Every structure is written in C-alpha cells, then in structure tokens.
Amino acid sequence: MPKLIKERVPTPERPVEERIKDFKEVNLGYTFELAKKEAERCLQCPPEYAPCIKGCPVHINIPAFIAKIKEGDIKGALRIIWNDNTLPAITGRVCPQEDQCEGACVVGKVGDPVNIGKLERFVADYAREHGIEEELLREFTEKCDGSKGKVAVVGAGPAGLTCAGELAKMGYKVTIFEALHKPGGVLAYGIPEFRLPKEILDHELKKLKMLGVEIRTDHVVGKTVTLDELLQEYDAVFIGTGAGTPKLLNIPGILLDRIYSANEFLTRINLMKAYEFPEYDTPIAVGKKVIVIGAGNTAMDAARSALRLGAEVTIAYRRGREDMTAREEEIKHAEEEGVKFEFFLQPVEFIGDENGRVKAVKFERTKPLEERDSKGKRKIVGTGEYVTLEADTVIIAIGLEPNKIITEDGRLKTNPDGTIVVDENLMTSIPGVFAGGDAIRGEATVILAMGDGKRAAKAIDEYIRRKRGQNS
C-alpha cells in the first residue's frame, strides 16, 4: 500500500503584484517532477470502490490515470482520461473538484485530498506541449468516421461540446449550431483568461474538429433554423443552450447607467477583449469604485476582472462567508489580490447622480437564522438597519436563467423556471430531441453540464440504434 502523505504538493502561482496587472493565467500548473510527487499520494483505491470516480460527473477512472503519471506514462494517462472526458485541459482548470472528486478522496479524510484537478490539467498540458496528444489523437480519429448517423447539437458550451465529442468517438457525424460568433459558451464568454486562457479553449475546440465535429457559428436555433428543420435532416438533436439570461434586482434605480449584469460585463471582457481597448473596439466603463453583488464563481470572476481594470472592488453578499458558493481557490485568489468583502448586506436601492449614473448602493443589514433553506443555507432576515456604500460601477452576479428562444414556440415542455423538462434518458417532450446542462438544471457547474452531455450521447446512440431496429 502506498505511503500516506498528508500534505499535497502545491502548484506554483504567479505573484500577486504581477498578476493583478494583466489577464494572464494565475496558476502555473505542475511540472513533471511535481506531478509525479503529488501522484505518489494517491492510495490507488480499486475502481469499483474508488469514491473519487463516483464523485466525478463524467466518471473518469482517476486512480488509473494517476497510476500512469507515477509510471511516467503520460500517453497512457491521457488515453484513460479521454475515454471519459475529451476536454481535460478545461476541466482540470475550472471544475469545483473540492465538491466532487477531491471532496470524496480517501486521503482527504486524514489530510489534504489528492490534487486530482491539477493532475488532470498537467496530463492535458504536458501531452499537448510534447506532441503526445497528437499521437493519441490519430488513434481516436480512426474510429470517428461518421458512419453511424447524423446528430445536431444546439449550443457550443460545455454540455454541447461534450455530447458532440462523445458521439464523434462513437462514429456519428456531429454538427454543432452556435448562436454566437465564437464557440465555447460560458467557457468563452464567462470565464476570464486568468482562469482559462482562450488559447487552451481554442486548442480543445480544434481537437474536437479533428474528431470530425463541425461547428457552425452565428446560427440561432429557433430563428436561423428551426428544430423541425433539424429533425428532418438529423437522426437526433441535443439542446445545450445553457443559462445566458441574467437575473436582475427589482429595486429602485436598476436602470441607472453603469449597472451591469455580470453576464454582459464578462462577455465584453472575455469574448470581446474590452480590456485591450482601443486595440479591440468594445469598451467597458469601469470607474474607481466597483461593487459586485453576489458570491459565486461569476461574482469572483467579475470582481477580479474589474480589479485588473484598475478599480477598487468590493463584493457585497447577503449571507456570510461560509455560505458563499464560489470555489475556495477563487475566493482565496480574490482576497490575495485585494478584493474587499462585505457580508450580510442586502441591496435595496441604487442611488444615482444628476447625470443618471449610479453613485452609491443602499443596503439593509441582514442576519442569519438557524432555519435552513432547500439548499442547506441559513435563511436570512432584514434587521431594519441600513448602510450606503459609494460605487460608480455595479455588477450584478446573482445568477442566470435558461435562454428561451428555442422554447418560445411552446413545443418543448418547460418548467416554471424556464428549464426544459426531460425524462430519465434526457429526452425532451419532442421525440428524438434531448437536452442537458444549464438548459435543464438552471445555472450550475461546467462539469455537471459535461456529465449531462456524456449521458445524453449514450442515450442518443441507444435511441438511434433502437429506431433503426424498428425501421429495419
């Protein structure tokens, strides 16, 4: 049995004083030597019992790929990962591993859990940088002949990309229809460069294309092309349109200038490179004092982006620190970089100046109750005490709802919150049309969306084979 090493090997990071001046990646990842050292901490639980595999939404054989790292066999490690996840350079960077595979790690019961996410990222990065990925890709592309049928995927976000990749590996010809001018969904418009460099995303997209996946951008399904038209041409359709409609606050002053949804703010920065204005012609107005309302990963991304644009940033949250939904690593980075946190503050009014621009936010102080809500968070109540904080820019990051264009005609059955209704096989109310990710869950994580994409690919394969069996 491997020796139990309680403390994990840390990954190098760029110094704070350097990284707050640009949008380059903060975490530098493991070197070969550091990765092997961290891999030695894995106890190699048998796959049938390994809690880390059960905790992974795409069920990667984690002990097996870590064993290959220990042996120095990076190609073998990548092959194992690719069997279940074709986008490890992305998931290794943005997954909330602490709540999933690492949260279930046996080593974590007595010390730090094995750094599974950073090891996954290491395998993907090392294989890409040393030509190993290219070798393995040739093996996989031989199976991707498109002979089993045609599938349309709506949305090039995590769910759609995963579904497309899995179907391509099974031998289907897959076409993705993406509304925006660049594929990637939240990976492209929502996650900043300092967490997920766009060159990494672009490379992963290129890899999918090498597997035979076609991506058609500037196609709004429901407008440019209808679901019925897709069903006439393709054997099945998968909807992964995500949750791109921001939730806003219905309080006085919401229409004042310089109040952004986090969605708009991050899209301007990430997809349209507003931080490089005037080289890119999409400006973003950020004043000296920015307040970000919310405490999830999106709030952290918005706050850290505003900080890099030169603002003094405060995150205001209606609950306490222990209730924040952001990853611990993102909170830690935000604190290190100088983002301030104000807890138990509920916004009640945006105050404007004579020019119609926001100049302050009025908050009511809240307090927690012992009673908890359906998500396990303590309920809060107002105290009747108010405080006003100055702000010349406000970013609202309180969540997103599903896009509704594809469901507007009423044919797809939806829930009251706008999410698409699916059965246990992720099929919608229209036969042959499947859905997954935030379109059925509401705003969730990248890896949960990818898990849905993988499940849907299997269900689509079974559906098409069953349909052909009935027709033969």
Side-chain angles (χ1 to χ4, degrees), residues 43 45 49 68 87 104 125 132 198 217 231 246 261 283 396 409 436 456:
L43 298 179
C45 301
Y49 301 114
K68 291 294 182 183
L87 306 170
D125 289 355
I132 297 169
K198 295 301 173 279
T217 55
L231 284 169
S261 70
I396 301 171
D409 64 5

PDB file of all heavy atoms in Angstrom, residues 43 45 49 68 87 104 125 132 198 217 231 246 261 283 396 409 436 456:
ATOM      1  N   LEU A  43      -3.770   6.649  -3.010  1.00  0.00           N
ATOM      2  CA  LEU A  43      -3.753   5.327  -2.377  1.00  0.00           C
ATOM      3  C   LEU A  43      -4.193   4.211  -3.324  1.00  0.00           C
ATOM      4  O   LEU A  43      -4.247   3.053  -2.936  1.00  0.00           O
ATOM      5  CB  LEU A  43      -4.645   5.329  -1.136  1.00  0.00           C
ATOM      6  CG  LEU A  43      -4.222   6.283  -0.016  1.00  0.00           C
ATOM      7  CD1 LEU A  43      -5.198   6.200   1.150  1.00  0.00           C
ATOM      8  CD2 LEU A  43      -2.801   5.980   0.450  1.00  0.00           C
ATOM      9  N   CYS A  45      -7.166   3.343  -4.746  1.00  0.00           N
ATOM     10  CA  CYS A  45      -8.383   2.604  -4.421  1.00  0.00           C
ATOM     11  C   CYS A  45      -8.848   1.832  -5.664  1.00  0.00           C
ATOM     12  O   CYS A  45      -8.770   2.358  -6.775  1.00  0.00           O
ATOM     13  CB  CYS A  45      -9.496   3.572  -3.994  1.00  0.00           C
ATOM     14  SG  CYS A  45      -9.078   4.585  -2.560  1.00  0.00           S
ATOM     15  N   TYR A  49     -14.539   0.597  -6.106  1.00  0.00           N
ATOM     16  CA  TYR A  49     -14.831   1.194  -4.813  1.00  0.00           C
ATOM     17  C   TYR A  49     -14.419   2.667  -4.723  1.00  0.00           C
ATOM     18  O   TYR A  49     -14.830   3.354  -3.783  1.00  0.00           O
ATOM     19  CB  TYR A  49     -14.111   0.422  -3.688  1.00  0.00           C
ATOM     20  CG  TYR A  49     -14.482  -1.038  -3.607  1.00  0.00           C
ATOM     21  CD1 TYR A  49     -13.552  -2.027  -3.880  1.00  0.00           C
ATOM     22  CD2 TYR A  49     -15.772  -1.425  -3.257  1.00  0.00           C
ATOM     23  CE1 TYR A  49     -13.896  -3.379  -3.817  1.00  0.00           C
ATOM     24  CE2 TYR A  49     -16.128  -2.767  -3.192  1.00  0.00           C
ATOM     25  CZ  TYR A  49     -15.178  -3.739  -3.476  1.00  0.00           C
ATOM     26  OH  TYR A  49     -15.529  -5.058  -3.415  1.00  0.00           O
ATOM     27  N   LYS A  68      -0.678   5.990 -13.939  1.00  0.00           N
ATOM     28  CA  LYS A  68       0.133   6.181 -15.152  1.00  0.00           C
ATOM     29  C   LYS A  68       1.095   7.365 -14.989  1.00  0.00           C
ATOM     30  O   LYS A  68       2.225   7.343 -15.497  1.00  0.00           O
ATOM     31  CB  LYS A  68      -0.771   6.400 -16.364  1.00  0.00           C
ATOM     32  CG  LYS A  68      -1.571   5.171 -16.783  1.00  0.00           C
ATOM     33  CD  LYS A  68      -0.666   4.063 -17.284  1.00  0.00           C
ATOM     34  CE  LYS A  68      -1.447   2.854 -17.759  1.00  0.00           C
ATOM     35  NZ  LYS A  68      -0.567   1.740 -18.188  1.00  0.00           N
ATOM     36  N   LEU A  87     -12.117  16.877 -22.801  1.00  0.00           N
ATOM     37  CA  LEU A  87     -11.710  18.271 -22.577  1.00  0.00           C
ATOM     38  C   LEU A  87     -10.965  18.451 -21.246  1.00  0.00           C
ATOM     39  O   LEU A  87     -11.268  19.350 -20.462  1.00  0.00           O
ATOM     40  CB  LEU A  87     -12.941  19.192 -22.607  1.00  0.00           C
ATOM     41  CG  LEU A  87     -13.835  19.109 -23.849  1.00  0.00           C
ATOM     42  CD1 LEU A  87     -15.123  19.877 -23.621  1.00  0.00           C
ATOM     43  CD2 LEU A  87     -13.099  19.646 -25.072  1.00  0.00           C
ATOM     44  N   ALA A 104     -14.461  13.663  -2.235  1.00  0.00           N
ATOM     45  CA  ALA A 104     -14.700  12.267  -1.865  1.00  0.00           C
ATOM     46  C   ALA A 104     -13.410  11.488  -1.613  1.00  0.00           C
ATOM     47  O   ALA A 104     -13.451  10.340  -1.169  1.00  0.00           O
ATOM     48  CB  ALA A 104     -15.496  11.575  -2.971  1.00  0.00           C
ATOM     49  N   ASP A 125      -1.912  19.336 -20.405  1.00  0.00           N
ATOM     50  CA  ASP A 125      -0.934  20.348 -20.837  1.00  0.00           C
ATOM     51  C   ASP A 125       0.372  19.708 -21.310  1.00  0.00           C
ATOM     52  O   ASP A 125       0.929  20.085 -22.346  1.00  0.00           O
ATOM     53  CB  ASP A 125      -0.644  21.328 -19.691  1.00  0.00           C
ATOM     54  CG  ASP A 125      -1.816  22.265 -19.406  1.00  0.00           C
ATOM     55  OD1 ASP A 125      -2.801  22.226 -20.154  1.00  0.00           O
ATOM     56  OD2 ASP A 125      -1.728  23.030 -18.428  1.00  0.00           O
ATOM     57  N   ILE A 132       2.476  14.450 -27.472  1.00  0.00           N
ATOM     58  CA  ILE A 132       1.851  13.173 -27.095  1.00  0.00           C
ATOM     59  C   ILE A 132       0.377  13.158 -27.487  1.00  0.00           C
ATOM     60  O   ILE A 132      -0.146  12.151 -27.974  1.00  0.00           O
ATOM     61  CB  ILE A 132       2.008  12.936 -25.577  1.00  0.00           C
ATOM     62  CG1 ILE A 132       3.496  12.818 -25.221  1.00  0.00           C
ATOM     63  CG2 ILE A 132       1.242  11.701 -25.124  1.00  0.00           C
ATOM     64  CD1 ILE A 132       3.773  12.857 -23.731  1.00  0.00           C
ATOM     65  N   LYS A 198      -7.778  31.597 -23.400  1.00  0.00           N
ATOM     66  CA  LYS A 198      -8.549  31.291 -24.611  1.00  0.00           C
ATOM     67  C   LYS A 198      -7.768  30.405 -25.567  1.00  0.00           C
ATOM     68  O   LYS A 198      -8.360  29.666 -26.360  1.00  0.00           O
ATOM     69  CB  LYS A 198      -8.980  32.597 -25.303  1.00  0.00           C
ATOM     70  CG  LYS A 198      -9.939  33.422 -24.468  1.00  0.00           C
ATOM     71  CD  LYS A 198     -11.221  32.657 -24.138  1.00  0.00           C
ATOM     72  CE  LYS A 198     -12.113  33.392 -23.168  1.00  0.00           C
ATOM     73  NZ  LYS A 198     -11.733  33.255 -21.758  1.00  0.00           N
ATOM     74  N   THR A 217     -21.091  28.617 -36.433  1.00  0.00           N
ATOM     75  CA  THR A 217     -21.377  29.762 -35.565  1.00  0.00           C
ATOM     76  C   THR A 217     -22.428  30.662 -36.211  1.00  0.00           C
ATOM     77  O   THR A 217     -22.798  30.471 -37.370  1.00  0.00           O
ATOM     78  CB  THR A 217     -20.098  30.561 -35.282  1.00  0.00           C
ATOM     79  OG1 THR A 217     -19.495  30.930 -36.528  1.00  0.00           O
ATOM     80  CG2 THR A 217     -19.105  29.731 -34.474  1.00  0.00           C
ATOM     81  N   LEU A 231     -34.640  18.237 -37.294  1.00  0.00           N
ATOM     82  CA  LEU A 231     -35.122  16.856 -37.186  1.00  0.00           C
ATOM     83  C   LEU A 231     -35.341  16.209 -38.546  1.00  0.00           C
ATOM     84  O   LEU A 231     -35.294  14.984 -38.676  1.00  0.00           O
ATOM     85  CB  LEU A 231     -36.418  16.819 -36.374  1.00  0.00           C
ATOM     86  CG  LEU A 231     -36.249  16.977 -34.858  1.00  0.00           C
ATOM     87  CD1 LEU A 231     -37.587  17.202 -34.173  1.00  0.00           C
ATOM     88  CD2 LEU A 231     -35.528  15.773 -34.252  1.00  0.00           C
ATOM     89  N   PRO A 246     -29.521  36.835 -17.635  1.00  0.00           N
ATOM     90  CA  PRO A 246     -29.176  37.227 -16.254  1.00  0.00           C
ATOM     91  C   PRO A 246     -30.395  37.551 -15.400  1.00  0.00           C
ATOM     92  O   PRO A 246     -31.390  38.084 -15.890  1.00  0.00           O
ATOM     93  CB  PRO A 246     -28.312  38.485 -16.461  1.00  0.00           C
ATOM     94  CG  PRO A 246     -28.707  39.021 -17.787  1.00  0.00           C
ATOM     95  CD  PRO A 246     -29.097  37.847 -18.625  1.00  0.00           C
ATOM     96  N   SER A 261     -25.141  43.598 -15.703  1.00  0.00           N
ATOM     97  CA  SER A 261     -25.231  42.198 -15.290  1.00  0.00           C
ATOM     98  C   SER A 261     -23.820  41.634 -15.442  1.00  0.00           C
ATOM     99  O   SER A 261     -23.043  42.083 -16.298  1.00  0.00           O
ATOM    100  CB  SER A 261     -26.199  41.426 -16.178  1.00  0.00           C
ATOM    101  OG  SER A 261     -25.659  41.258 -17.491  1.00  0.00           O
ATOM    102  N   PRO A 283     -15.424  48.911 -25.777  1.00  0.00           N
ATOM    103  CA  PRO A 283     -15.005  49.494 -24.491  1.00  0.00           C
ATOM    104  C   PRO A 283     -15.859  48.980 -23.345  1.00  0.00           C
ATOM    105  O   PRO A 283     -16.972  48.490 -23.538  1.00  0.00           O
ATOM    106  CB  PRO A 283     -15.226  50.995 -24.714  1.00  0.00           C
ATOM    107  CG  PRO A 283     -16.318  51.055 -25.737  1.00  0.00           C
ATOM    108  CD  PRO A 283     -16.114  49.870 -26.636  1.00  0.00           C
ATOM    109  N   ILE A 396     -24.015  43.036 -11.163  1.00  0.00           N
ATOM    110  CA  ILE A 396     -24.963  42.142 -10.501  1.00  0.00           C
ATOM    111  C   ILE A 396     -24.681  40.702 -10.927  1.00  0.00           C
ATOM    112  O   ILE A 396     -24.801  40.350 -12.104  1.00  0.00           O
ATOM    113  CB  ILE A 396     -26.417  42.525 -10.842  1.00  0.00           C
ATOM    114  CG1 ILE A 396     -26.692  43.969 -10.412  1.00  0.00           C
ATOM    115  CG2 ILE A 396     -27.400  41.564 -10.170  1.00  0.00           C
ATOM    116  CD1 ILE A 396     -28.018  44.517 -10.895  1.00  0.00           C
ATOM    117  N   ASP A 409     -41.795  28.721 -28.996  1.00  0.00           N
ATOM    118  CA  ASP A 409     -42.983  28.270 -29.728  1.00  0.00           C
ATOM    119  C   ASP A 409     -43.867  27.331 -28.911  1.00  0.00           C
ATOM    120  O   ASP A 409     -44.954  26.927 -29.357  1.00  0.00           O
ATOM    121  CB  ASP A 409     -42.596  27.606 -31.054  1.00  0.00           C
ATOM    122  CG  ASP A 409     -41.776  26.328 -30.868  1.00  0.00           C
ATOM    123  OD1 ASP A 409     -41.584  25.909 -29.708  1.00  0.00           O
ATOM    124  OD2 ASP A 409     -41.329  25.762 -31.880  1.00  0.00           O
ATOM    125  N   GLY A 436     -29.575  18.935 -22.009  1.00  0.00           N
ATOM    126  CA  GLY A 436     -28.762  18.767 -20.814  1.00  0.00           C
ATOM    127  C   GLY A 436     -28.059  20.052 -20.437  1.00  0.00           C
ATOM    128  O   GLY A 436     -28.143  21.068 -21.135  1.00  0.00           O
ATOM    129  N   ALA A 456     -26.247  12.116 -22.316  1.00  0.00           N
ATOM    130  CA  ALA A 456     -27.116  12.303 -23.473  1.00  0.00           C
ATOM    131  C   ALA A 456     -26.561  11.603 -24.713  1.00  0.00           C
ATOM    132  O   ALA A 456     -27.318  11.023 -25.490  1.00  0.00           O
ATOM    133  CB  ALA A 456     -27.308  13.795 -23.754  1.00  0.00           C
TER     134      ALA A 456
END
